[in-house]
Structures are given as C-alpha cells and as structure tokens.
C-alpha cells in the first residue's frame, strides 16, 4: 500500500523508489497514496516478484518486510535471487522473517487454530472462531495451574489483542515457514549474499549481563554462531536482518543498533 515507500520518497525527492505486490488492490492504494502526497519519484507495479528482471536496473536498498516466511519455498528462493540480482554492488538488503526456536510453539498453536477454521473461508468468521477456540481452551485449563495452562492463556490473550490484519497474516496465512537464523545465512549465501547485522529495537534496560555475553563469546566460534545462540537464549521468533553482496569487507566489531 506504499506505507513505507511513499514517506521515504517524499523525504528523499532525489531518489527513485519502486514497489511491487502481487495484489492489484494493494498497488492501486499505493498509487493513490503517492498521488495524494505528490511523490512522483515512487512507482508501483502489480506483478510477481519473479518477473522483476534486469529492465528494472539495480537498487541501493532492497526491502522485503513480512514476505519471506509467508510464501512457498520456490518463491523464497526466487526472492533471494531477485535480491542478489537487483542489488547494486554496495547495496543493502533488508529481510524480515520468522525464526526458530520461538516459532516451534507458534506453529503448534497455528495448527490448532487452522484445524478449527479448516472449513471456514470467511476472514471475519475465521477470526471469531480462532479467538473463541483459544479462549475456551485457556479457560478450561486455567484451574490446572500447569505450564500448559499458562501457555494457553498467553495464546488466548495474544489472539484477542492482535489486530485482525496482523493475525490473518502472521498466524493464519496459508504459508508460514520459519527458519533458524543460521539456516537463513546459508540460504542467502547460496545466492551470493552475506549477513551484515541485525536491526534491533530495544532499550538499554534490555542489555544482557556481562557474564552472559562472555558465555556467548566462549560458545561461539563465529558471529553467525553467536547470533544463533542469542536466538536460543531469547527464544527468538522474528528477525530483521541486513545482507550485502558476499566478498565485501565488513567493518570489524559491533555495529551500532545491532
């Protein structure tokens, strides 16, 4: 819908922005938003990302947010190839994706909810049914005081509080394919890309104790391993990763904001 590109195009009139989506409706909304904002440097195309060929040129930044985990494996591979082929020599790719181990539990609840709505096509009714299911299960197990009852209550509260569009996309979409961070690095590596850093939104209060960092440093033989151990520690379920072309020399040491 242009929610990312139109504001960026408005603040950077000297840059060119291209947005693509398989949904004609989303693209029409993006075009209308761009026209209302007066941003002539943003163009939008209703198309399959697999058709993003060399005629589009190369880009300094490629952004794929809320996409990778929610498409089939063949489209995932196509997305990584597009990122590699359409990225300028010193460009940066931003990809967000669901991760294990956190999503192991999420997939279990997703399967329970999908079972409940397997014969229900209407989106509003699907939302009503999954919220009803999780609340009934949580309330029924509440008196047990077990870990399972706590997890059910957390899931019931989550689906009740989540916005409709978010729940439909993040949990109830036809595809949801989480991946371990280390596996993601291997996948992008096969397309000639390398991991740069993580975009993290945290506060100083979330800083780990020094002894924890020391333990991670001792366990890990590389920064990729260290990031994977961080996901184990935090039960990581979502990442926002930056990638660039393999072969480029990365600055040593920690990256600000990572």
């Amino acid at each position: 819908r242009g929610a990312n590109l139109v504001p960026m195009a408005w603040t950077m009139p000297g840059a060119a922005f291209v947005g693509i989506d398989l949904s004609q409706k989303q693209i029409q909304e993006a075009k209308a938003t761009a026209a209302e904002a007066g941003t002539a440097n943003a163009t939008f195309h209703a198309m399959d990302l697999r058709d993003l060929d060399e005629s589009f040129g190369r880009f300094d930044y490629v952004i794929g947010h809320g996409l990778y985990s929610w498409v089939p494996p063949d489209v995932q591979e196509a997305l990584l190839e597009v990122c590699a082929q359409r990225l300028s020599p010193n460009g940066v790719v931003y990809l967000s994706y669901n991760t294990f181990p956190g999503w192991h539990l999420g997939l279990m609840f997703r399967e329970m909810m999908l079972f409940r709505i397997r014969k229900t096509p209407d989106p509003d009714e699907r939302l009503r049914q999954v919220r009803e299911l999780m609340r009934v299960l949580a309330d029924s197990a509440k008196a047990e005081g077990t870990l399972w009852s706590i997890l059910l209550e957390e899931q019931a509260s989550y689906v009740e509080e989540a916005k409709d569009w978010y729940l439909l996309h993040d949990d109830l979409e036809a595809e949801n394919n989480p991946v371990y961070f280390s596996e993601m690095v291997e996948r992008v590596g096969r397309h000639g890309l390398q991991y740069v850093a993580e975009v993290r939104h945290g506060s100083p209060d979330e800083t780990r104790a020094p002894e924890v960092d020391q333990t991670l440093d001792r366990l890990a033989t590389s920064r990729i391993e260290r990031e994977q151990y961080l996901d184990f520690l935090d039960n990581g379920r979502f990442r926002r990763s930056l990638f660039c072309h393999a072969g480029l020399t990365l600055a040593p040491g920690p990256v600000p904001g990572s």
Side-chain angles (χ1 to χ4, degrees):
R1 295 177 296 166
N4 282 327
L5 290 196
V6 172
M8 287 192 286
W10 192 85
T11 56
M12 292 182 279
F17 298 82
V18 177
I20 67 168
D21 198 290
L22 199 59
S23 167
Q24 182 69 44
K25 179 181 179 181
Q26 297 272 42
I27 291 300
Q28 289 303 323
E29 289 183 13
K31 290 180 177 179
T33 301
E36 184 178 356
T39 53
N41 57 328
T43 59
F44 297 91
H45 307 267
M47 61 182 292
D48 191 314
L49 66 87
R50 290 171 288 192
D51 298 326
L52 196 70
D53 57 25
E54 61 274 4
S55 66
F56 284 84
R58 292 193 172 192
F59 298 85
D60 294 323
Y61 299 96
V62 177
I63 303 170
H65 182 59
L67 175 63
Y68 184 85
S69 293
W70 298 271
V71 293
D74 63 316
V75 183
Q76 289 182 335
E77 286 298 301
L79 172 60
L80 297 182
E81 187 61 22
V82 164
C83 289
Q85 293 296 323
R86 302 274 64 80
L87 189 65
S88 65
N90 292 311
V92 174
V93 173
Y94 167 102
L95 291 177
S96 63
Y97 50 98
N98 288 337
T99 58
F100 294 127
W103 257 96
H104 279 301
L105 188 62
L107 287 184
M108 178 184 63
F109 284 124
R110 165 179 157 83
E111 290 167 359
M112 293 164 61
M113 294 188 294
L114 290 180
F115 177 81
R116 178 71 178 95
I117 59 176
R118 66 193 186 282
K119 298 179 181 179
T120 306
D122 179 69
D124 289 334
E125 182 61 15
R126 287 165 70 87
L127 289 167
R128 188 195 69 79
Q129 289 185 11
V130 299
R131 285 169 172 150
E132 177 189 50
L133 170 68
M134 297 315 304
R135 175 46 57 196
V136 167
L137 293 176
D139 288 347
S140 299
K142 191 172 294 185
E144 298 177 6
T146 61
L147 175 59
W148 179 237
S149 66
I150 294 172
L151 293 174
L152 283 172
E153 178 58 37
E154 289 180 349
Q155 181 68 12
S157 297
Y158 161 69
V159 299
E160 288 168 348
E161 296 169 6
K163 293 188 179 298
D164 292 354
W165 65 265
Y166 184 86
L167 190 58
L168 287 169
H169 173 268
D170 210 54
D171 294 83
L172 304 179
E173 183 60 75
E175 296 284 345
N176 191 329
N177 302 295
V179 63
Y180 281 102
F181 165 75
S182 56
E183 185 179 1
M184 186 66 174
V185 172
E186 292 177 0
R187 291 183 183 184
V188 299
R190 293 196 291 268
H191 293 269
L193 298 172
Q194 65 176 330
Y195 177 73
V196 176
E198 202 66 26
V199 179
R200 292 196 172 95
H201 304 287
S203 67
D205 294 337
E206 296 171 349
T207 302
R208 291 176 301 277
E211 56 268 24
V212 174
D213 280 324
Q214 292 169 7
T215 299
L216 291 173
D217 290 338
R218 177 174 57 81
L219 290 174
T221 60
S222 68
R223 66 192 194 96
I224 303 302
E225 279 195 9
R226 194 180 195 281
E227 288 290 324
Q228 184 59 79
Y229 285 130
L230 274 176
D231 278 1
F232 294 161
L233 175 66
D234 299 332
N235 195 34
R237 56 180 286 138
F238 187 71
R239 274 185 172 263
R240 306 170 182 89
S241 300
L242 303 180
F243 303 95
C244 70
H245 284 295
L248 294 178
T249 301
L250 302 179
V255 177
S258 68

